[in-house]
Amino acid sequence: MDAQGRGRADDVDPADQWVLNPRTGEYELRLSPSAPESSVPGPRASGPRASGRRTTAPGREVPPQRRRRAEPEAPVPGRRGRRPEKKKSRGKRALLWTGGSMAFVVLVAGVGGYVYLKHLEGNVSTTDVGTAGSSSFKKDEAFNILIIGTDKRTGEGNEGYGDKGSAGHADTNILLHVAEDRSNATALSIPRDLIVDIPDCETTQEDGTKKVIPGTSGVRFNQSLGDFGRDAGCTMRTVAETTGIKPDHFMMADFNAVKTLTTAVDGVDVCVEKAVDDPKSHLKLPAGESTVEGEQALAFVRTRHAFGNEGDLDRIKVQQQFLGSLMRKMSSSDTLTSPTKLVKLAEAATKALTVDKAIGKVGTLKDIALELKKVPTKNITFTTVPVIDNPAEKVKATVVVNEAKGPQVFDMIKNDISFTEVEQKKKKEKAAVAARLKGEKSEPGEVRVRVMNGGAPAGSAQQELAYLQTQAGVSKSENAGNAPAEVAKTTLEYAPDQADQARALAEILGLSGAAMKPGESVTNAQGLPTMTLTLGKDFKGAGVKLDGSVKKPDLDTESTADQKLCAS
């Protein structure tokens, strides 16, 4: 848009328009050096007064009068004056995540004025994924974002990377789960060669009409995008079908994004155990540490022949290391306090992104950034869907989910359980709540409890009852069927005189003080007072404690974002 005759804002490099105001010590966004000095709209004065000096007689000048300090004026639409006084911090906050041929960007809080923010918003492409995702982003909940890197070729210099006619398949895929309390996050890589069932998916066409793309069984995961007009919503539905975890949102970028984004941050530090000279990806690196950007960064995350057994699973490990390094770079003070770097990053990132409509606003992307900033890098776990070679193939080219390990990994993510050794910050219980666990405990054989299913999988009440009676020694227990309504959390209701029984059962089941609900008892068939254990949606299986103290599976791959690793 034109602003006071200054021309289009996108005709200049916004990074060059940040100017340090010596009077305030703050950076201000000047969209054009030819902008008028006055903040009041209207024509400039002309004649003798236009110079700012008063003339009293020919050839005689007197200094201009001092102006009284005026009350702050509202900024003219299209211009950015001094930033509000309440925003004192010079360090704009930004966080960029990228892995392989994808980019996950989250933007700066207040990187520029309204005009510039709308300009950034115009850079971001959106896709209507309908019911495949959530309708909005909520700050106070756990969330899952599917990060997709496509093999679609855009931009100069990308013609040599494989099939330049590709419709854009799901080449690199990371399901990012961020815990409700922001104490941890899990980045789960999904191999592109994983054999899956792709469900029917509804897509929105360019003319606004809806079209259902038929599903198919026993195909590679990467075919969930691009084939037959499938969009990112189809990939989101495939993730839900495969893992049981529903993505709330998606972010997608292509090959060119890796080049532009790494250049915007002045490169990413990587490490290799041995010197690399791969003629297929054109990657050449000496042994040890190097900094890569642009073409070299893209070659690093795409090479399959420089590391391990030259397969896609080894490439995933390298991409995870690359992502961890980039996260550390983004959180460094050198990046966070540089307006020029942040503006260049915002420009490159927004142009690289396609997201679902629910998060297509720059303000929403900023909110995601601020929530991600709360997660310590040491508690961000990178891992991969546990897989085995496809038993149906003689020549091993694809993989399938390892049914011995995969379901537990998926359940941990669904139940918001960290893969790192962190304290589950579920808000410190109040002293009165914590006190429910303190005191004498009855012997298991003295505990009377009825078990009800309030949202757990069918049969859970009977399974838990069998565990209590045969393994935990709670012989005075019974199955009371289904609860009147479903509940999210497992609870134990008891009368005050049953507190010693409640504490004993809480210890057996791993119940928190918050799960213990002092109230009233019920009467069993023998006319004796009985506690009520209601299994909620958080129930993880008979004998599995509800305090999150489950044994983590032996993962095939695992690292955290704070680790500096060398590819081999």
PDB file of all heavy atoms in Angstrom, residues 123-158:
ATOM      1  N   ASN A 123       2.841 -12.825   2.698  1.00  0.00           N
ATOM      2  CA  ASN A 123       3.822 -13.795   2.212  1.00  0.00           C
ATOM      3  C   ASN A 123       3.390 -15.230   2.458  1.00  0.00           C
ATOM      4  O   ASN A 123       3.796 -16.148   1.749  1.00  0.00           O
ATOM      5  CB  ASN A 123       5.180 -13.590   2.910  1.00  0.00           C
ATOM      6  CG  ASN A 123       5.890 -12.332   2.473  1.00  0.00           C
ATOM      7  OD1 ASN A 123       5.562 -11.745   1.446  1.00  0.00           O
ATOM      8  ND2 ASN A 123       6.867 -11.912   3.250  1.00  0.00           N
ATOM      9  N   VAL A 124       2.603 -15.453   3.518  1.00  0.00           N
ATOM     10  CA  VAL A 124       2.274 -16.808   3.959  1.00  0.00           C
ATOM     11  C   VAL A 124       1.128 -17.379   3.131  1.00  0.00           C
ATOM     12  O   VAL A 124       0.077 -16.757   2.988  1.00  0.00           O
ATOM     13  CB  VAL A 124       1.886 -16.822   5.452  1.00  0.00           C
ATOM     14  CG1 VAL A 124       1.563 -18.242   5.915  1.00  0.00           C
ATOM     15  CG2 VAL A 124       3.005 -16.235   6.294  1.00  0.00           C
ATOM     16  N   SER A 125       1.321 -18.580   2.584  1.00  0.00           N
ATOM     17  CA  SER A 125       0.263 -19.281   1.859  1.00  0.00           C
ATOM     18  C   SER A 125      -0.509 -20.162   2.832  1.00  0.00           C
ATOM     19  O   SER A 125       0.061 -20.692   3.792  1.00  0.00           O
ATOM     20  CB  SER A 125       0.856 -20.148   0.742  1.00  0.00           C
ATOM     21  OG  SER A 125       1.571 -19.360  -0.188  1.00  0.00           O
ATOM     22  N   THR A 126      -1.802 -20.322   2.597  1.00  0.00           N
ATOM     23  CA  THR A 126      -2.626 -21.129   3.493  1.00  0.00           C
ATOM     24  C   THR A 126      -3.406 -22.185   2.717  1.00  0.00           C
ATOM     25  O   THR A 126      -3.677 -22.036   1.528  1.00  0.00           O
ATOM     26  CB  THR A 126      -3.629 -20.264   4.282  1.00  0.00           C
ATOM     27  OG1 THR A 126      -4.511 -19.603   3.356  1.00  0.00           O
ATOM     28  CG2 THR A 126      -2.914 -19.234   5.126  1.00  0.00           C
ATOM     29  N   THR A 127      -3.751 -23.256   3.428  1.00  0.00           N
ATOM     30  CA  THR A 127      -4.564 -24.337   2.871  1.00  0.00           C
ATOM     31  C   THR A 127      -5.702 -24.627   3.835  1.00  0.00           C
ATOM     32  O   THR A 127      -5.494 -24.712   5.049  1.00  0.00           O
ATOM     33  CB  THR A 127      -3.729 -25.622   2.684  1.00  0.00           C
ATOM     34  OG1 THR A 127      -2.681 -25.367   1.757  1.00  0.00           O
ATOM     35  CG2 THR A 127      -4.593 -26.762   2.163  1.00  0.00           C
ATOM     36  N   ASP A 128      -6.899 -24.772   3.293  1.00  0.00           N
ATOM     37  CA  ASP A 128      -8.061 -25.131   4.105  1.00  0.00           C
ATOM     38  C   ASP A 128      -8.077 -26.645   4.263  1.00  0.00           C
ATOM     39  O   ASP A 128      -8.354 -27.379   3.314  1.00  0.00           O
ATOM     40  CB  ASP A 128      -9.341 -24.647   3.423  1.00  0.00           C
ATOM     41  CG  ASP A 128     -10.585 -24.937   4.249  1.00  0.00           C
ATOM     42  OD1 ASP A 128     -10.452 -25.504   5.347  1.00  0.00           O
ATOM     43  OD2 ASP A 128     -11.703 -24.598   3.782  1.00  0.00           O
ATOM     44  N   VAL A 129      -7.762 -27.133   5.478  1.00  0.00           N
ATOM     45  CA  VAL A 129      -7.710 -28.586   5.709  1.00  0.00           C
ATOM     46  C   VAL A 129      -8.981 -29.105   6.369  1.00  0.00           C
ATOM     47  O   VAL A 129      -9.064 -30.289   6.714  1.00  0.00           O
ATOM     48  CB  VAL A 129      -6.480 -28.965   6.561  1.00  0.00           C
ATOM     49  CG1 VAL A 129      -5.200 -28.585   5.858  1.00  0.00           C
ATOM     50  CG2 VAL A 129      -6.549 -28.315   7.956  1.00  0.00           C
ATOM     51  N   GLY A 130      -9.978 -28.246   6.547  1.00  0.00           N
ATOM     52  CA  GLY A 130     -11.254 -28.678   7.097  1.00  0.00           C
ATOM     53  C   GLY A 130     -11.122 -29.300   8.476  1.00  0.00           C
ATOM     54  O   GLY A 130     -10.455 -28.784   9.362  1.00  0.00           O
ATOM     55  N   THR A 131     -11.741 -30.464   8.645  1.00  0.00           N
ATOM     56  CA  THR A 131     -11.755 -31.128   9.948  1.00  0.00           C
ATOM     57  C   THR A 131     -10.494 -31.934  10.222  1.00  0.00           C
ATOM     58  O   THR A 131     -10.390 -32.568  11.280  1.00  0.00           O
ATOM     59  CB  THR A 131     -12.968 -32.066  10.041  1.00  0.00           C
ATOM     60  OG1 THR A 131     -12.906 -33.032   8.979  1.00  0.00           O
ATOM     61  CG2 THR A 131     -14.268 -31.282   9.927  1.00  0.00           C
ATOM     62  N   ALA A 132      -9.528 -31.907   9.321  1.00  0.00           N
ATOM     63  CA  ALA A 132      -8.275 -32.642   9.553  1.00  0.00           C
ATOM     64  C   ALA A 132      -7.478 -32.039  10.698  1.00  0.00           C
ATOM     65  O   ALA A 132      -6.665 -32.721  11.321  1.00  0.00           O
ATOM     66  CB  ALA A 132      -7.426 -32.659   8.287  1.00  0.00           C
ATOM     67  N   GLY A 133      -7.689 -30.754  10.987  1.00  0.00           N
ATOM     68  CA  GLY A 133      -6.952 -30.081  12.052  1.00  0.00           C
ATOM     69  C   GLY A 133      -7.887 -29.351  12.993  1.00  0.00           C
ATOM     70  O   GLY A 133      -9.105 -29.507  12.941  1.00  0.00           O
ATOM     71  N   SER A 134      -7.305 -28.537  13.871  1.00  0.00           N
ATOM     72  CA  SER A 134      -8.081 -27.745  14.820  1.00  0.00           C
ATOM     73  C   SER A 134      -8.478 -26.420  14.185  1.00  0.00           C
ATOM     74  O   SER A 134      -7.797 -25.907  13.298  1.00  0.00           O
ATOM     75  CB  SER A 134      -7.271 -27.499  16.098  1.00  0.00           C
ATOM     76  OG  SER A 134      -6.940 -28.723  16.727  1.00  0.00           O
ATOM     77  N   SER A 135      -9.563 -25.850  14.682  1.00  0.00           N
ATOM     78  CA  SER A 135     -10.077 -24.609  14.098  1.00  0.00           C
ATOM     79  C   SER A 135      -9.344 -23.374  14.595  1.00  0.00           C
ATOM     80  O   SER A 135      -9.470 -22.302  14.018  1.00  0.00           O
ATOM     81  CB  SER A 135     -11.567 -24.469  14.414  1.00  0.00           C
ATOM     82  OG  SER A 135     -11.780 -24.451  15.827  1.00  0.00           O
ATOM     83  N   SER A 136      -8.541 -23.525  15.673  1.00  0.00           N
ATOM     84  CA  SER A 136      -7.818 -22.370  16.210  1.00  0.00           C
ATOM     85  C   SER A 136      -6.628 -22.872  17.014  1.00  0.00           C
ATOM     86  O   SER A 136      -6.527 -24.061  17.332  1.00  0.00           O
ATOM     87  CB  SER A 136      -8.726 -21.513  17.099  1.00  0.00           C
ATOM     88  OG  SER A 136      -9.174 -22.272  18.215  1.00  0.00           O
ATOM     89  N   PHE A 137      -5.715 -21.943  17.342  1.00  0.00           N
ATOM     90  CA  PHE A 137      -4.575 -22.270  18.193  1.00  0.00           C
ATOM     91  C   PHE A 137      -4.867 -21.801  19.604  1.00  0.00           C
ATOM     92  O   PHE A 137      -5.278 -20.663  19.820  1.00  0.00           O
ATOM     93  CB  PHE A 137      -3.303 -21.595  17.681  1.00  0.00           C
ATOM     94  CG  PHE A 137      -2.129 -21.786  18.592  1.00  0.00           C
ATOM     95  CD1 PHE A 137      -1.488 -23.005  18.679  1.00  0.00           C
ATOM     96  CD2 PHE A 137      -1.678 -20.744  19.401  1.00  0.00           C
ATOM     97  CE1 PHE A 137      -0.415 -23.199  19.542  1.00  0.00           C
ATOM     98  CE2 PHE A 137      -0.597 -20.920  20.260  1.00  0.00           C
ATOM     99  CZ  PHE A 137       0.032 -22.160  20.325  1.00  0.00           C
ATOM    100  N   LYS A 138      -4.667 -22.686  20.581  1.00  0.00           N
ATOM    101  CA  LYS A 138      -4.952 -22.354  21.969  1.00  0.00           C
ATOM    102  C   LYS A 138      -3.671 -22.417  22.781  1.00  0.00           C
ATOM    103  O   LYS A 138      -2.972 -23.428  22.780  1.00  0.00           O
ATOM    104  CB  LYS A 138      -5.996 -23.320  22.529  1.00  0.00           C
ATOM    105  CG  LYS A 138      -7.331 -23.240  21.788  1.00  0.00           C
ATOM    106  CD  LYS A 138      -8.352 -24.232  22.330  1.00  0.00           C
ATOM    107  CE  LYS A 138      -9.664 -24.128  21.569  1.00  0.00           C
ATOM    108  NZ  LYS A 138     -10.657 -25.119  22.054  1.00  0.00           N
ATOM    109  N   LYS A 139      -3.394 -21.323  23.493  1.00  0.00           N
ATOM    110  CA  LYS A 139      -2.137 -21.190  24.232  1.00  0.00           C
ATOM    111  C   LYS A 139      -2.064 -22.080  25.469  1.00  0.00           C
ATOM    112  O   LYS A 139      -0.971 -22.396  25.923  1.00  0.00           O
ATOM    113  CB  LYS A 139      -1.930 -19.739  24.666  1.00  0.00           C
ATOM    114  CG  LYS A 139      -1.829 -18.740  23.533  1.00  0.00           C
ATOM    115  CD  LYS A 139      -1.618 -17.347  24.092  1.00  0.00           C
ATOM    116  CE  LYS A 139      -1.590 -16.301  23.005  1.00  0.00           C
ATOM    117  NZ  LYS A 139      -1.399 -14.950  23.559  1.00  0.00           N
ATOM    118  N   ASP A 140      -3.203 -22.450  26.025  1.00  0.00           N
ATOM    119  CA  ASP A 140      -3.194 -23.157  27.304  1.00  0.00           C
ATOM    120  C   ASP A 140      -3.374 -24.665  27.161  1.00  0.00           C
ATOM    121  O   ASP A 140      -3.733 -25.346  28.124  1.00  0.00           O
ATOM    122  CB  ASP A 140      -4.293 -22.585  28.209  1.00  0.00           C
ATOM    123  CG  ASP A 140      -5.676 -22.674  27.576  1.00  0.00           C
ATOM    124  OD1 ASP A 140      -5.759 -22.988  26.365  1.00  0.00           O
ATOM    125  OD2 ASP A 140      -6.668 -22.418  28.269  1.00  0.00           O
ATOM    126  N   GLU A 141      -3.122 -25.207  25.974  1.00  0.00           N
ATOM    127  CA  GLU A 141      -3.292 -26.642  25.754  1.00  0.00           C
ATOM    128  C   GLU A 141      -2.047 -27.229  25.105  1.00  0.00           C
ATOM    129  O   GLU A 141      -1.253 -26.513  24.486  1.00  0.00           O
ATOM    130  CB  GLU A 141      -4.502 -26.914  24.849  1.00  0.00           C
ATOM    131  CG  GLU A 141      -5.835 -26.504  25.448  1.00  0.00           C
ATOM    132  CD  GLU A 141      -6.991 -26.813  24.510  1.00  0.00           C
ATOM    133  OE1 GLU A 141      -6.731 -27.292  23.377  1.00  0.00           O
ATOM    134  OE2 GLU A 141      -8.148 -26.591  24.903  1.00  0.00           O
ATOM    135  N   ALA A 142      -1.879 -28.547  25.236  1.00  0.00           N
ATOM    136  CA  ALA A 142      -0.858 -29.225  24.451  1.00  0.00           C
ATOM    137  C   ALA A 142      -1.246 -29.112  22.977  1.00  0.00           C
ATOM    138  O   ALA A 142      -2.428 -28.992  22.647  1.00  0.00           O
ATOM    139  CB  ALA A 142      -0.776 -30.690  24.863  1.00  0.00           C
ATOM    140  N   PHE A 143      -0.252 -29.116  22.084  1.00  0.00           N
ATOM    141  CA  PHE A 143      -0.596 -29.047  20.665  1.00  0.00           C
ATOM    142  C   PHE A 143       0.386 -29.852  19.830  1.00  0.00           C
ATOM    143  O   PHE A 143       1.529 -30.083  20.221  1.00  0.00           O
ATOM    144  CB  PHE A 143      -0.684 -27.596  20.171  1.00  0.00           C
ATOM    145  CG  PHE A 143       0.588 -26.799  20.302  1.00  0.00           C
ATOM    146  CD1 PHE A 143       1.523 -26.759  19.277  1.00  0.00           C
ATOM    147  CD2 PHE A 143       0.849 -26.053  21.441  1.00  0.00           C
ATOM    148  CE1 PHE A 143       2.683 -26.009  19.378  1.00  0.00           C
ATOM    149  CE2 PHE A 143       2.007 -25.298  21.569  1.00  0.00           C
ATOM    150  CZ  PHE A 143       2.928 -25.276  20.528  1.00  0.00           C
ATOM    151  N   ASN A 144      -0.106 -30.294  18.667  1.00  0.00           N
ATOM    152  CA  ASN A 144       0.684 -31.087  17.719  1.00  0.00           C
ATOM    153  C   ASN A 144       0.734 -30.367  16.383  1.00  0.00           C
ATOM    154  O   ASN A 144      -0.316 -30.026  15.827  1.00  0.00           O
ATOM    155  CB  ASN A 144       0.048 -32.464  17.516  1.00  0.00           C
ATOM    156  CG  ASN A 144      -0.117 -33.237  18.801  1.00  0.00           C
ATOM    157  OD1 ASN A 144       0.830 -33.368  19.576  1.00  0.00           O
ATOM    158  ND2 ASN A 144      -1.313 -33.741  19.057  1.00  0.00           N
ATOM    159  N   ILE A 145       1.936 -30.120  15.891  1.00  0.00           N
ATOM    160  CA  ILE A 145       2.102 -29.486  14.575  1.00  0.00           C
ATOM    161  C   ILE A 145       2.855 -30.453  13.663  1.00  0.00           C
ATOM    162  O   ILE A 145       3.936 -30.930  14.018  1.00  0.00           O
ATOM    163  CB  ILE A 145       2.862 -28.156  14.675  1.00  0.00           C
ATOM    164  CG1 ILE A 145       2.054 -27.145  15.486  1.00  0.00           C
ATOM    165  CG2 ILE A 145       3.159 -27.601  13.290  1.00  0.00           C
ATOM    166  CD1 ILE A 145       2.699 -25.783  15.612  1.00  0.00           C
ATOM    167  N   LEU A 146       2.279 -30.747  12.517  1.00  0.00           N
ATOM    168  CA  LEU A 146       2.937 -31.603  11.529  1.00  0.00           C
ATOM    169  C   LEU A 146       3.772 -30.726  10.604  1.00  0.00           C
ATOM    170  O   LEU A 146       3.247 -29.863   9.904  1.00  0.00           O
ATOM    171  CB  LEU A 146       1.905 -32.383  10.719  1.00  0.00           C
ATOM    172  CG  LEU A 146       2.480 -33.301   9.643  1.00  0.00           C
ATOM    173  CD1 LEU A 146       3.367 -34.373  10.259  1.00  0.00           C
ATOM    174  CD2 LEU A 146       1.369 -33.931   8.816  1.00  0.00           C
ATOM    175  N   ILE A 147       5.073 -30.946  10.621  1.00  0.00           N
ATOM    176  CA  ILE A 147       5.999 -30.182   9.788  1.00  0.00           C
ATOM    177  C   ILE A 147       6.304 -31.030   8.549  1.00  0.00           C
ATOM    178  O   ILE A 147       6.781 -32.159   8.670  1.00  0.00           O
ATOM    179  CB  ILE A 147       7.280 -29.863  10.552  1.00  0.00           C
ATOM    180  CG1 ILE A 147       6.932 -29.135  11.852  1.00  0.00           C
ATOM    181  CG2 ILE A 147       8.238 -29.046   9.710  1.00  0.00           C
ATOM    182  CD1 ILE A 147       8.053 -29.117  12.850  1.00  0.00           C
ATOM    183  N   ILE A 148       6.021 -30.483   7.385  1.00  0.00           N
ATOM    184  CA  ILE A 148       6.171 -31.237   6.140  1.00  0.00           C
ATOM    185  C   ILE A 148       7.188 -30.546   5.245  1.00  0.00           C
ATOM    186  O   ILE A 148       7.086 -29.340   4.991  1.00  0.00           O
ATOM    187  CB  ILE A 148       4.834 -31.341   5.374  1.00  0.00           C
ATOM    188  CG1 ILE A 148       3.744 -31.919   6.281  1.00  0.00           C
ATOM    189  CG2 ILE A 148       4.992 -32.192   4.119  1.00  0.00           C
ATOM    190  CD1 ILE A 148       2.356 -31.874   5.658  1.00  0.00           C
ATOM    191  N   GLY A 149       8.151 -31.300   4.758  1.00  0.00           N
ATOM    192  CA  GLY A 149       9.076 -30.803   3.753  1.00  0.00           C
ATOM    193  C   GLY A 149       8.793 -31.526   2.452  1.00  0.00           C
ATOM    194  O   GLY A 149       8.862 -32.756   2.378  1.00  0.00           O
ATOM    195  N   THR A 150       8.438 -30.801   1.430  1.00  0.00           N
ATOM    196  CA  THR A 150       8.097 -31.440   0.154  1.00  0.00           C
ATOM    197  C   THR A 150       9.306 -31.486  -0.769  1.00  0.00           C
ATOM    198  O   THR A 150      10.260 -30.715  -0.614  1.00  0.00           O
ATOM    199  CB  THR A 150       6.966 -30.679  -0.564  1.00  0.00           C
ATOM    200  OG1 THR A 150       7.507 -29.501  -1.193  1.00  0.00           O
ATOM    201  CG2 THR A 150       5.879 -30.270   0.409  1.00  0.00           C
ATOM    202  N   ASP A 151       9.243 -32.383  -1.739  1.00  0.00           N
ATOM    203  CA  ASP A 151      10.308 -32.457  -2.743  1.00  0.00           C
ATOM    204  C   ASP A 151       9.951 -31.655  -3.988  1.00  0.00           C
ATOM    205  O   ASP A 151      10.515 -31.863  -5.059  1.00  0.00           O
ATOM    206  CB  ASP A 151      10.594 -33.915  -3.120  1.00  0.00           C
ATOM    207  CG  ASP A 151       9.352 -34.642  -3.619  1.00  0.00           C
ATOM    208  OD1 ASP A 151       8.279 -34.007  -3.709  1.00  0.00           O
ATOM    209  OD2 ASP A 151       9.449 -35.856  -3.906  1.00  0.00           O
ATOM    210  N   LYS A 152       9.020 -30.717  -3.829  1.00  0.00           N
ATOM    211  CA  LYS A 152       8.663 -29.834  -4.938  1.00  0.00           C
ATOM    212  C   LYS A 152       9.795 -28.868  -5.199  1.00  0.00           C
ATOM    213  O   LYS A 152      10.423 -28.349  -4.280  1.00  0.00           O
ATOM    214  CB  LYS A 152       7.383 -29.062  -4.599  1.00  0.00           C
ATOM    215  CG  LYS A 152       6.807 -28.292  -5.772  1.00  0.00           C
ATOM    216  CD  LYS A 152       5.446 -27.692  -5.397  1.00  0.00           C
ATOM    217  CE  LYS A 152       4.831 -26.979  -6.584  1.00  0.00           C
ATOM    218  NZ  LYS A 152       3.503 -26.414  -6.247  1.00  0.00           N
ATOM    219  N   ARG A 153      10.102 -28.612  -6.476  1.00  0.00           N
ATOM    220  CA  ARG A 153      11.225 -27.759  -6.840  1.00  0.00           C
ATOM    221  C   ARG A 153      10.743 -26.359  -7.177  1.00  0.00           C
ATOM    222  O   ARG A 153       9.963 -26.168  -8.106  1.00  0.00           O
ATOM    223  CB  ARG A 153      11.962 -28.309  -8.069  1.00  0.00           C
ATOM    224  CG  ARG A 153      12.928 -29.438  -7.750  1.00  0.00           C
ATOM    225  CD  ARG A 153      12.227 -30.721  -7.389  1.00  0.00           C
ATOM    226  NE  ARG A 153      13.190 -31.796  -7.174  1.00  0.00           N
ATOM    227  CZ  ARG A 153      12.918 -32.892  -6.501  1.00  0.00           C
ATOM    228  NH1 ARG A 153      11.734 -33.066  -5.968  1.00  0.00           N
ATOM    229  NH2 ARG A 153      13.837 -33.832  -6.357  1.00  0.00           N
ATOM    230  N   THR A 154      11.167 -25.371  -6.422  1.00  0.00           N
ATOM    231  CA  THR A 154      10.909 -23.976  -6.749  1.00  0.00           C
ATOM    232  C   THR A 154      12.195 -23.200  -6.567  1.00  0.00           C
ATOM    233  O   THR A 154      13.086 -23.608  -5.838  1.00  0.00           O
ATOM    234  CB  THR A 154       9.832 -23.352  -5.834  1.00  0.00           C
ATOM    235  OG1 THR A 154      10.305 -23.338  -4.487  1.00  0.00           O
ATOM    236  CG2 THR A 154       8.534 -24.135  -5.900  1.00  0.00           C
ATOM    237  N   GLY A 155      12.304 -22.073  -7.220  1.00  0.00           N
ATOM    238  CA  GLY A 155      13.484 -21.229  -7.070  1.00  0.00           C
ATOM    239  C   GLY A 155      14.622 -21.661  -7.982  1.00  0.00           C
ATOM    240  O   GLY A 155      14.686 -22.788  -8.468  1.00  0.00           O
ATOM    241  N   GLU A 156      15.521 -20.738  -8.217  1.00  0.00           N
ATOM    242  CA  GLU A 156      16.656 -21.005  -9.089  1.00  0.00           C
ATOM    243  C   GLU A 156      17.631 -21.984  -8.446  1.00  0.00           C
ATOM    244  O   GLU A 156      17.827 -21.991  -7.246  1.00  0.00           O
ATOM    245  CB  GLU A 156      17.387 -19.693  -9.413  1.00  0.00           C
ATOM    246  CG  GLU A 156      16.543 -18.703 -10.202  1.00  0.00           C
ATOM    247  CD  GLU A 156      17.327 -17.456 -10.539  1.00  0.00           C
ATOM    248  OE1 GLU A 156      18.542 -17.434 -10.262  1.00  0.00           O
ATOM    249  OE2 GLU A 156      16.735 -16.517 -11.089  1.00  0.00           O
ATOM    250  N   GLY A 157      18.234 -22.808  -9.273  1.00  0.00           N
ATOM    251  CA  GLY A 157      19.266 -23.710  -8.807  1.00  0.00           C
ATOM    252  C   GLY A 157      18.758 -25.004  -8.221  1.00  0.00           C
ATOM    253  O   GLY A 157      19.537 -25.805  -7.717  1.00  0.00           O
ATOM    254  N   ASN A 158      17.446 -25.272  -8.298  1.00  0.00           N
ATOM    255  CA  ASN A 158      16.898 -26.488  -7.710  1.00  0.00           C
ATOM    256  C   ASN A 158      16.562 -27.560  -8.747  1.00  0.00           C
ATOM    257  O   ASN A 158      16.001 -28.593  -8.414  1.00  0.00           O
ATOM    258  CB  ASN A 158      15.627 -26.162  -6.906  1.00  0.00           C
ATOM    259  CG  ASN A 158      15.939 -25.336  -5.690  1.00  0.00           C
ATOM    260  OD1 ASN A 158      16.969 -25.510  -5.062  1.00  0.00           O
ATOM    261  ND2 ASN A 158      15.065 -24.404  -5.357  1.00  0.00           N
TER     262      ASN A 158
END
